[in-house]
Amino acid sequence: MNKKLIHPVDEKYISFLSDESKQEGFADTISFPSSPEELLQIIASPLPAPITFQGANTGVEGGSVPQGGSIINFSRMNHIREIQKLSDTEGYAIVEAGVTLDQLAQEIRRSLKTDDYIWPPSPTESSATVGGVIATGAYGMTSCYYGTKNLYLRELTLLHSNGHTEVLSDIPEPFQLPAGTCIVKATLKLLKRPANICGAAFFFDTESNALACADKLQNYVPDNKDVLIISMEYIGNTAIKMINTSRELISVLKDVPALPSDAKAVIYVEIAGNEESQDEALMELIDITSEYGSDPDVAWALTGYTEIRKMHSLRHAATESVIQFIERKHHEDNRIIRLGVKPLSRGRSFQETILSIIQALEDANLCASIYAHIKNSDIQVNFLPENFEDYQKSKNIANTWI
Ligand SMILES: Cc1cc2nc3c(=O)[nH]c(=O)nc-3n(C[C@H](O)[C@H](O)[C@H](O)COP(=O)(O)OP(=O)(O)OC[C@H]3O[C@@H](n4cnc5c(N)ncnc54)[C@H](O)[C@@H]3O)c2cc1C
């Protein structure tokens, strides 16, 4: 065994035995390759099986939590090889798997001397790595516009467990990483983001009104064909309560104003287009949301990329507050870990699906934070169990929804 590259797991590596799901694992060895050559040497060594690959351990499903064997952590394979513009709308970046989204955004800005180019997959956690995002197929608030299956890749270099390197240039959508294979390097498609952006957050004093409005908005097409809908998000009552109570603990919220005190649900719509077309679409959105009781005078209007970041931070806080809650509960009882599901709609409308979830939670005396990407009815339910009994009840209910 290569002792310089492969270390026995002891106390100092304890943080690598868990991820944001709070599942806890165990492993015999851990390695931190800092180049594809080191990675090859490690894979060629007689490693204890199974091998678990790790990016930044921000995953919420336990995918990077080892169950014995070896860990290969990509955080030091974080070199950006090249960033180039190809045209006025496209570019590419050649990066190693351990490059974080923060690092990528910074380097794009530095190399291209502009903020305008992005790699579209955008889970709200910017410390996640490119390898982790590709492996999990992660996406975020802007999936309404950029899609949920396209990983925006030009080329992907994989290393199979037998030491064979494969370069894929025709990448299927959705992409499924073969078992036992790791991502070494990727050429990412960069796109110029829309020039003019704005967002509006509409607040509702009942969840049922907000959900009825969300149903209507699912079919909303702006009259002006120049307007693009970039994001359409729902944040429910419990998620709002969680954000409000965790506000002091969530650093990204420091520049985000407090939500209206009677807000029981938020619908956020982000659009791009020229100023005139944006104004037209905003008026249409105000008409629709007012019909369902949202007061336009308390709505937030956010203009430009700096302003809309506030709403992206708020949405991030919805996940972060759940993670912090579960962390506290896990501390009290280590059998409690994150329990999140994406319930199937089974032919029901967005409104019907969420109302039935809320009803089932009420009937079982359980609590969950609910938020969603409205356009594709992509609903995320995160249970908030008070104790292990609640956790088990939540698990049983969750199983009936998927
Ligand atoms: C506050 C918060 C908000 C989040 N918001 C979102 C969101 O909006 N949307 C979303 O989709 N997710 C979200 N996530 C989850 C998480 O950030 C993403 O799943 C992310 O893609 C994980 O990246 P990572 O580098 O941390 O991967 P890890 O957690 O380290 O690993 C995740 C999976 O990828 C595999 N993996 C990692 N690197 C490689 C590699 N090089 N080769 C092969 N496999 C690899 C691991 O084995 C594991 O199965 C959020 C997490 C947090 C904490």
Side-chain angles (χ1 to χ4, degrees), residues 175-289:
F175 173 68
Q176 185 72 47
L177 187 64
T181 299
C182 64
I183 298 153
V184 181
K185 200 173 80 171
T187 305
L188 313 175
K189 274 186 204 165
L190 306 182
L191 295 187
K192 192 169 189 177
R193 64 186 186 179
N196 300 307
I197 194 104
C198 76
F202 298 99
F203 302 100
F204 296 82
D205 54 11
T206 70
E207 270 200 291
S208 52
N209 278 351
L211 289 165
C213 184
D215 266 7
K216 175 94 177 201
L217 286 171
Q218 275 194 324
N219 302 315
Y220 167 65
V221 180
D223 276 351
N224 190 318
K225 297 291 164 260
D226 292 340
V227 173
L228 305 169
I229 300 177
I230 307 296
S231 176
M232 196 181 276
E233 297 286 303
Y234 176 82
I235 305 181
N237 189 20
T238 306
I240 290 177
K241 282 190 203 156
M242 292 294 291
I243 293 170
N244 287 339
T245 47
S246 322
R247 182 165 267 276
E248 299 299 311
L249 303 169
I250 300 179
S251 57
V252 292
L253 286 180
K254 71 177 188 310
D255 300 323
V256 181
L259 298 172
S261 56
D262 56 352
K264 299 283 189 296
V266 187
I267 288 180
Y268 173 68
V269 185
E270 194 170 292
I271 55 175
N274 62 38
E275 211 174 307
E276 199 182 318
S277 63
Q278 278 186 8
D279 286 348
E280 277 175 38
L282 283 176
M283 290 316 291
E284 289 163 11
L285 288 167
I286 288 172
D287 283 348
I288 297 171
T289 50

Side-chain angles (χ1 to χ4, degrees), residues 53 55-59 63 74 124-125 128-129 132-133 135-136 138-139 183 316 323:
F53 302 113
N57 293 68
T58 71
F74 282 84
T124 67
E125 180 54 53
T129 63
V133 170
T136 57
Y139 55 84
I183 298 153
H316 180 74
I323 290 171

Side-chain angles (χ1 to χ4, degrees), residues 85-90 117 192:
K85 249 189 229 177
L86 283 169
S87 68
D88 282 346
T89 53
E90 275 189 43
Y117 287 79
K192 192 169 189 177

